Amino acid sequence: FETIQFGIWAGVWMNASKPPFDDLKVRQALSYAIDRESIRDVVYSGYGQIVSGPLNSGTFGYWEGIEELGYSYDLDKAAQLLTEAGYSKNENNNWQKDNQPLTIDIKVATDSEDLRKFAEIVQSQWQNFGIETNIELWESTFTDVLGGDFSAAVTIINWGDGGEFLRLVFHSEVLNVHKIQDPKLDEM
């Protein structure tokens, strides 16, 4: 997501080094289980551009083709991916694996009413889909995200240069906030 300001991007960050986000199919499923339009409408009064990748259309390095590859709101696709990842619904219609419920803890900064609302909407959407979701308030979300002390976080970033932003956020030897270890990604 982004607001109407240039380069502002708010979203759910998933730590790929911690369960259940260490499974690509789970990350994809949970991305499909977020209704971004409702978040934009409620949190940002309908303003802003829904983005399918880490860069918005006003950022250097943005590629229009990403919109065809992004995650739309699709609960059937989310269910398919969780099933492929070994999850099933229990008698309470909640997702589980090996008789353990799929539980997500989302960290969010205490000083941002918008981000708290954003996290509450994601929590509601995931719970309605059958995922136990908890919100933990942080004093400083971004600092903790950089340290990897999270499994999921709702946070915001402001960046103007797409190339440098992508390197800082995704390269395994720089900030790597998502904790992805991929030599092919590092080469880019």
Side-chain angles (χ1 to χ4, degrees):
F1 289 100
E2 68 171 301
T3 62
I4 55 175
Q5 296 173 306
F6 169 77
I8 302 290
W9 182 83
V12 178
W13 293 28
M14 301 176 192
N15 186 338
S17 72
K18 296 193 179 206
F21 296 111
D22 56 346
D23 186 326
L24 174 61
K25 289 186 184 298
V26 172
R27 294 193 307 270
Q28 292 172 324
L30 292 176
S31 294
Y32 279 113
I34 297 173
D35 180 355
R36 292 159 179 80
E37 287 186 20
S38 68
I39 294 170
R40 181 194 57 202
D41 292 347
V42 171
V43 178
Y44 302 109
S45 301
Y47 292 100
Q49 174 188 5
I50 296 173
V51 296
S52 296
L55 303 179
N56 63 46
S57 61
T59 305
F60 176 76
Y62 172 80
W63 173 59
E64 285 185 17
I66 192 68
E67 303 308 324
E68 301 298 321
L69 302 174
Y71 298 99
S72 58
Y73 183 55
D74 187 338
L75 294 180
D76 291 334
K77 182 70 173 172
Q80 174 191 338
L81 288 161
L82 283 181
T83 301
E84 290 173 11
Y87 289 85
S88 61
K89 290 279 191 119
N90 64 20
E91 65 278 355
N92 297 323
N93 207 32
N94 292 321
W95 290 98
Q96 66 177 12
K97 184 176 185 178
D98 302 325
N99 293 317
Q100 296 297 314
L102 177 54
T103 303
I104 306 296
D105 295 320
I106 302 173
K107 292 192 174 186
V108 64
T110 58
D111 63 348
S112 173
E113 183 179 337
D114 285 348
L115 292 181
R116 283 195 314 274
K117 283 194 287 188
F118 189 121
E120 289 167 359
I121 293 169
V122 171
Q123 177 187 39
S124 175
Q125 291 174 356
W126 284 352
Q127 286 177 332
N128 289 338
F129 181 58
I131 298 169
E132 185 177 322
T133 309
N134 306 302
I135 294 177
E136 179 182 341
L137 298 177
W138 268 351
E139 289 299 318
S140 173
T141 308
F142 196 71
T143 302
D144 292 330
V145 166
L146 293 179
D149 183 24
F150 74 104
S151 58
V154 171
T155 191
I156 193 164
I157 193 164
N158 181 355
W159 210 268
D161 179 350
E164 186 62 19
F165 168 77
L166 293 174
R167 182 178 170 284
L168 285 171
V169 174
F170 293 106
H171 194 285
S172 64
E173 294 179 6
V174 189
L175 297 179
N176 192 14
V177 295
H178 298 282
K179 307 306 178 203
I180 296 170
Q181 300 295 319
D182 186 341
K184 289 182 182 178
L185 186 60
D186 289 346
E187 286 178 24
M188 294 179 175

